[in-house]
């Protein structure tokens, strides 16, 4: 295991990309909270800890409290789930989190409100909204993008929007300074990557294995390690790995080969089992493991 | 009209230079995108492969029992005293419903692609039984996802699938009905992409499923057309079929889409009545949105959360509808009416007593509309109803509602 290939460092790739593509006048996603945060972490030779919480889970107050305290516990980026009744790519932990949130009255407007509140006290930690397309379309695509941008959202992960159907939304999002984070799967063939990456921004989310969120296996020795090395050759964007990171050990292992470690189901489960304090404890322990990961060589 | 979907899987076209409403597409997680592409390529090759078609047709004839009869329902016609009512007897196929047409086609495609594990979702259990049946016939493994609520109300089909060697996975999430079974099947597929083929049972899901399922079911309409021309030297005036996801209706309608004189009517489940809010009528009571890989009409809240569907018939108990129906609805080519639980039950009773045919509760929704319409039309008009399945599976429900004085043995024991 080694630190990311320095000849293709994120910072260098990022600068090259900025020169090539930045459009004048638009609020740039290149000088975004995400870009600044990843650049700083790269300087420190540390992977980012990306923590997933479901907006409104288990109730609006606890969700807001957890979100507010995540950065101090060591979260570098916050992924905020937008609950959906039929989350077909999520495992049981995140599915239940969404059901709890919806049962407690969470709405998309409420989720944006939660971001706005967070921004009152933290203007640095990037926030990425993750979810499914239907609630967004119902809200109104343009209205949603404008409201998200105004609330202080930095990026979007839209599980069921493939690049084939995403051109319009991506262009609108980019104009509003919102990064569209592409999902790359183990099944993604090489010929699909250019289209996926061309719409991508902020970072790339590499799904560790075929399955739903929260499945319990992660093998970094085999094909995943090779795939990450190949992916790094093709994009200047930082690469996050998610699905299957459950504890300090697996977080450290991912931190050695990727630019960011995504923890979702494990955190959501901990929140239900032992409340906000428990979830923060897990965050602290994961952050500690990630900070040490590359030093242990 | 028969040219859809386009290359991206959309039904619908530009209007007045502006993009019109389009339905369908491929709204799925990235993990599935490459697989769906593979299926589409394999299907397009199979369509034009004479060997594939020959095997499909041979099994359709000798195993499924096609062609199914186009039966003149003389006493129903007399009863309503108007248009002539014909029944396309899909209930007489092997396994007792039209579902086997599609299950057989997709299973042969899976075999061709080297995928030996079949998964399926099922509501009423007819699609599950069909997939379990063809899996047994072709020597493939079969896992069926079924909502716990549906398992309860469709016991005979559950036992039948087990007997055929299928594994039944009860789904307790959400409302524990068809949509939740579909979510769970999609999750299985994402996790087992290498050896698994997902046989979707209706004309919904990501492209190419709506087109592929329609094509495998379109034999219903082709036969009907031929039988009508042979017997009457003319086309029918009206086709009526029930619509949950809408596979028997698409199968019946497709061969007639370009025949402007043939009126197409889909019957949705109105449950307790549209105004009650407890129904499954996505076209009559829903709005466009995205679910299970396609854009279509859905029952959803103002916040875009999918709502529960309600119907006495498990097969219609789905909060969405196939995207081609959404397109036919918007374009006006087909019309969609809603039929309540009570109306469907009355049609079951009438069909049993006048024709000696026990229809599935799903099909009874179409029978009700046929009777209503026939009574308003002259005797030279011809209505064909797709009798999509038989009602044996519904006996517990039918008994409870129509003959509470004669409970079934299970209920007596309970």
């Amino acid at each position: 295991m080694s630190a990311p290939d320095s000849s293709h460092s994120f910072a260098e790739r990022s600068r090259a990309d900025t020169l090539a593509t930045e459009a004048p006048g638009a609020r740039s996603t290149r000088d975004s909270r995400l870009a600044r945060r990843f650049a700083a972490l790269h300087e420190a030779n540390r992977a980012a800890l990306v923590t997933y919480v479901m907006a409104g889970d288990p109730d609006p107050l606890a969700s807001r409290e957890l979100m507010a305290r995540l950065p101090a516990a060591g979260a570098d980026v916050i992924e905020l789930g937008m609950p959906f009744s039929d989350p077909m790519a999520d495992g049981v932990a995140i599915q239940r989190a969404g059901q709890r949130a919806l049962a407690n009255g969470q709405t998309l407007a409420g989720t944006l409100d939660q971001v706005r509140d967070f921004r009152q006290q933290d203007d640095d930690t990037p926030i990425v909204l993750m979810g499914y397309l239907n609630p967004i379309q119902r809200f109104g695509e343009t209205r949603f993008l404008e409201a998200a941008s105004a609330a202080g959202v930095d990026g979007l992960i839209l599980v069921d929007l493939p690049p084939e159907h995403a051109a319009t939304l991506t262009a609108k999002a980019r104009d509003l300074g919102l990064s569209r984070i592409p999902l790359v799967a183990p099944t993604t063939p090489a010929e699909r990557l250019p289209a996926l990456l061309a719409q991508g921004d902020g970072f790339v989310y590499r799904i560790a294995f075929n399955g739903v969120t929260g499945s319990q296996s992660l093998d970094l020795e085999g094909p995943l390690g090779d795939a990450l090395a190949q992916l790094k050759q093709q994009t200047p964007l930082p690469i996050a790995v998610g699905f299957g990171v459950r504890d300090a050990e697996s977080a450290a292992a991912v931190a050695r080969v990727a630019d960011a470690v995504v923890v979702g189901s494990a955190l959501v489960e901990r929140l239900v089992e032992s409340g906000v304090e428990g979830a923060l404890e897990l965050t602290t322990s994961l952050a500690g493991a990630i900070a040490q990961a590359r030093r242990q060589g | 009209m028969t040219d859809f979907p386009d290359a991206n899987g959309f039904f619908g076209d530009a209007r007045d230079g502006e993009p019109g409403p389009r339905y369908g597409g491929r709204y799925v997680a990235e993990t599935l995108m490459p697989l769906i592409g593979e299926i589409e390529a394999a299907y397009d090759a199979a369509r034009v492969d004479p060997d594939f078609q020959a095997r499909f047709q041979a099994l359709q004839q000798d195993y499924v029992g096609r062609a199914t009869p186009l039966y003149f329902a003389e006493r129903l016609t007399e009863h309503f005293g108007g248009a002539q009512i014909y029944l396309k007897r899909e209930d007489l196929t092997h396994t007792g419903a039209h579902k086997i047409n599609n299950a057989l086609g997709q299973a042969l495609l899976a075999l061709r692609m080297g995928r030996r594990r079949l998964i399926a979702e099922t509501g009423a259990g007819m699609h599950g039984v069909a997939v379990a049946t063809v899996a047994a016939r072709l020597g493939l493994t079969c896992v069926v996802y079924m909502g716990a609520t549906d398992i309860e109300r469709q016991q005979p089909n559950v036992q039948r699938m087990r007997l055929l060697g299928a594994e039944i996975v009860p789904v307790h999430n959400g409302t524990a009905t068809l949509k939740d079974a579909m979510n769970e099947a999609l999750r299985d597929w994402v996790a087992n992409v290498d050896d698994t083929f997902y046989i979707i049972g209706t004309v919904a899901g990501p492209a190419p499923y709506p087109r592929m399922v329609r094509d495998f079911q379109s034999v219903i309409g082709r036969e009907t057309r031929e039988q009508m021309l042979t017997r009457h030297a003319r086309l029918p005036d009206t086709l009526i079929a029930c619509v949950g996801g809408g596979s028997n209706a698409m199968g019946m309608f497709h061969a007639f889409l370009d025949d402007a004189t043939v009126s197409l009517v889909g019957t949705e489940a109105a449950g307790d009545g549209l105004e009650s809010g407890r129904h499954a009528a996505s076209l009559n009571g829903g709005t466009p949105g995205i679910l299970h890989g396609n854009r279509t009409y859905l029952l959803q809240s103002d916040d875009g959360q999918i709502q529960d569907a309600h119907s006495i018939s498990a097969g219609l108990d789905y909060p969405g509808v196939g995207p081609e129906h959404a397109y036919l609805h918007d374009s006006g080519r087909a019309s969609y009416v809603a039929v309540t639980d009570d109306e469907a039950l009355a049609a079951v009773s009438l069909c049993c007593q006048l024709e000696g045919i026990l229809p599935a509760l799903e099909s009874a929704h179409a029978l009700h509309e046929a009777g209503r319409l026939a009574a308003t039309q002259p005797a030279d008009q011809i209505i064909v109803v797709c009798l999509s399945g038989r009602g044996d599976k519904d006996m517990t429900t039918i008994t409870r509602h129509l003959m509470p004085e004669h409970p079934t043995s299970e209920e007596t024991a309970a």
Side-chain angles (χ1 to χ4, degrees):
Chain A
M1 300 269 179
S2 63
D5 182 355
S6 61
S7 68
H8 290 86
S9 80
F10 154 66
E12 282 168 26
R13 286 177 280 151
S14 188
R15 273 194 296 277
D17 199 56
T18 302
L19 291 172
T21 61
E22 192 160 343
R27 177 186 139 183
S28 175
T29 49
R30 300 296 167 186
D31 179 32
S32 64
R33 290 187 194 93
L34 278 167
R36 287 198 297 273
R37 179 60 47 105
F38 276 107
L41 287 164
H42 182 78
E43 286 294 306
N45 190 26
R46 182 161 76 78
L49 172 59
V50 180
T51 51
Y52 176 100
V53 292
M54 177 65 80
D57 172 46
D59 60 71
L61 275 179
S63 181
R64 281 167 197 241
E65 187 196 342
L66 173 61
M67 192 177 172
R69 293 173 63 191
L70 276 173
D76 299 301
V77 175
I78 296 175
E79 247 179 61
L80 188 62
M82 300 177 277
F84 181 48
S85 52
D86 293 78
M88 64 182 184
D90 282 300
V92 71
I94 288 182
Q95 194 185 355
R96 287 197 183 133
Q99 284 171 358
R100 284 191 296 269
L102 291 172
N104 281 314
Q106 189 70 16
T107 60
L108 189 49
T111 300
L112 294 170
D113 201 45
Q114 185 167 341
V115 175
R116 210 172 294 118
D117 269 10
F118 178 88
R119 280 278 170 259
Q120 304 284 319
Q121 44 115 27
D122 184 329
D123 198 31
D124 298 317
T125 304
I127 298 173
V128 174
L129 293 182
M130 181 162 184
Y132 295 79
L133 206 49
N134 195 55
I136 291 173
Q137 292 220 330
R138 189 77 179 140
F139 192 87
E141 205 169 281
T142 304
R143 181 180 159 223
F144 166 78
L145 294 171
E146 287 170 358
S149 176
V153 172
D154 301 287
L156 302 171
I157 301 176
L158 299 176
V159 179
D160 56 353
L161 181 63
E164 285 82 350
H165 297 337
T168 316
L169 185 142
T170 303
K172 280 190 221 164
R174 211 166 254 189
D175 286 347
L176 290 161
L178 294 168
S179 297
R180 266 253 298 135
I181 286 102
L183 289 159
V184 175
T187 49
T188 304
E191 60 269 23
R192 273 182 70 77
L193 274 178
L196 273 172
L197 296 172
Q199 292 184 359
D201 222 328
F203 61 92
V204 175
Y205 190 131
R206 175 54 158 80
I207 298 166
F209 50 82
N210 296 327
V212 293
T213 52
S215 316
Q216 299 193 22
S217 64
L218 192 62
D219 177 11
L220 293 162
E221 301 295 336
L224 178 58
D226 297 343
L228 287 175
Q230 281 172 24
L231 193 52
K232 272 177 201 165
Q233 305 294 322
Q234 297 189 50
T235 177
L237 296 171
I239 297 163
V241 170
F243 286 35
V245 178
R246 304 199 60 81
D247 49 26
E249 198 186 341
S250 48
V254 171
R256 290 187 199 105
V257 296
D259 301 304
V261 182
V262 185
V263 183
S265 299
L267 194 61
V268 163
E269 280 166 9
R270 187 65 72 86
L271 175 65
V272 181
E273 284 158 16
S274 28
V276 171
E277 299 301 332
L280 291 169
E281 268 168 41
L282 176 63
T283 306
T284 306
S285 106
L286 297 172
I290 290 169
Q292 291 299 316
R294 292 186 192 163
R295 285 177 210 168
Q296 293 164 348
Chain B
M1 186 137 278
T2 44
D3 293 342
F4 293 121
D6 67 17
N8 287 315
F10 283 109
F11 298 87
D13 46 6
R15 280 194 203 151
D16 308 323
E18 293 292 315
R22 300 193 313 162
Y23 301 98
R26 288 183 192 90
Y27 295 93
V28 295
E30 174 58 23
T31 309
L32 292 179
M33 282 301 283
L35 267 91
I36 285 167
E38 264 176 56
I39 290 176
E40 179 146 53
Y43 174 59
D44 284 337
R47 280 183 74 188
V48 294
D49 177 353
D51 292 343
F52 180 89
Q53 291 300 339
R55 184 155 194 220
F56 182 47
Q57 267 150 33
L59 284 166
Q60 286 268 38
Q61 182 186 303
D62 298 334
Y63 189 64
V64 176
R66 301 211 73 92
T68 58
L70 180 65
Y71 164 74
F72 176 50
E74 195 178 346
R75 296 194 66 211
L76 275 176
T77 300
E78 272 172 25
H79 177 83
F80 290 105
Q84 302 163 51
I85 299 173
Y86 282 77
L87 307 179
K88 178 61 174 165
R89 299 291 307 274
E90 292 301 297
D91 61 315
L92 292 178
T93 56
H94 178 45
T95 73
H98 72 291
K99 293 291 185 188
I100 189 117
N101 300 324
N102 166 57
L104 179 62
Q106 287 196 53
L108 287 174
L109 186 63
L111 204 57
R112 185 186 162 96
M113 295 176 72
R115 305 262 158 80
R116 304 196 63 90
R117 179 174 178 269
L118 304 180
I119 59 171
E121 85 293 338
T122 198
M126 296 315 282
H127 175 56
V129 165
V131 175
T133 297
V134 296
R137 171 64 184 78
L138 299 174
L140 305 172
T141 311
C142 177
V143 178
V144 177
Y145 289 88
M146 189 165 183
T149 306
D150 290 339
I151 287 180
E152 196 81 358
R153 57 179 167 175
Q154 309 283 184
Q155 268 302 312
N157 273 345
V158 173
Q159 298 301 53
R160 188 170 172 188
M161 285 185 274
R162 290 196 175 119
L163 189 61
L164 289 160
E167 181 193 343
I168 313 297
V169 182
V171 177
H172 298 278
N173 300 322
T175 48
T177 58
L178 183 54
K179 89 175 165 79
D180 308 287
M182 198 156 176
N183 287 331
E184 218 47 46
L186 282 162
R187 292 186 182 110
D188 176 312
W189 201 24
V190 169
N192 298 290
V193 291
D194 294 331
D195 65 344
T196 297
F197 190 104
Y198 179 16
I199 300 194
I200 294 181
T202 192
V203 285
Y209 282 98
R211 168 171 67 105
M212 182 164 69
V213 177
R214 174 200 72 194
D215 290 353
F216 286 137
Q217 293 292 3
S218 62
V219 64
I220 303 173
R222 283 200 311 274
E223 283 177 9
T224 301
R225 197 187 166 89
E226 214 176 281
Q227 289 162 328
M228 278 299 300
L229 288 172
T230 305
R231 208 179 305 176
H232 296 282
R234 73 172 187 92
L235 296 177
D237 300 293
T238 305
L239 304 175
I240 304 180
C242 66
V243 176
S247 69
N248 87 84
M250 258 344 290
M252 179 57 112
F253 293 172
H254 190 249
F256 297 91
L257 286 180
D258 289 331
D259 300 308
T261 60
V262 181
S263 152
L264 311 175
V265 180
T267 56
E268 294 193 298
D272 293 345
L274 285 181
E275 67 294 336
S276 72
R278 289 175 52 82
H279 60 80
S282 314
L283 291 167
N284 281 287
T287 48
I290 291 167
L291 179 70
H292 294 149
N294 65 117
R295 182 169 191 277
T296 187
Y297 279 80
L298 303 172
L299 301 180
Q300 57 178 323
S301 72
D302 290 343
D303 204 44
Q305 306 298 337
I306 307 307
Q307 289 175 322
D308 303 347
H310 294 277
S311 170
I312 193 169
S313 122
L316 303 183
D317 206 346
Y318 179 68
V321 63
E324 191 162 10
H325 286 297
Y327 162 64
L328 294 176
H329 169 267
D330 278 17
S331 69
R333 176 65 189 92
S335 58
Y336 296 85
V337 298
V339 175
T340 65
D341 288 353
D342 288 346
E343 289 168 336
L345 280 164
V348 166
S349 185
L350 199 63
C351 190
C352 280
Q353 286 163 22
L354 294 182
E355 297 291 347
I357 294 171
L358 169 59
L361 278 168
E362 289 79 7
S363 321
H365 287 71
L367 281 172
H368 166 81
E369 176 61 13
R372 194 200 62 76
L373 190 65
T376 69
Q377 292 182 335
D380 63 347
Q381 292 284 301
I382 296 179
I383 295 173
V384 179
V385 177
C386 186
L387 198 72
S388 56
R390 67 179 80 138
D392 308 44
K393 68 186 173 62
D394 297 318
M395 275 314 294
T396 309
T397 308
I398 292 170
T399 305
R400 190 183 308 137
H401 285 88
L402 294 180
M403 309 181 288
E405 71 282 14
H406 297 294
T408 58
S409 53
E410 295 149 54
E411 291 190 334
T412 315

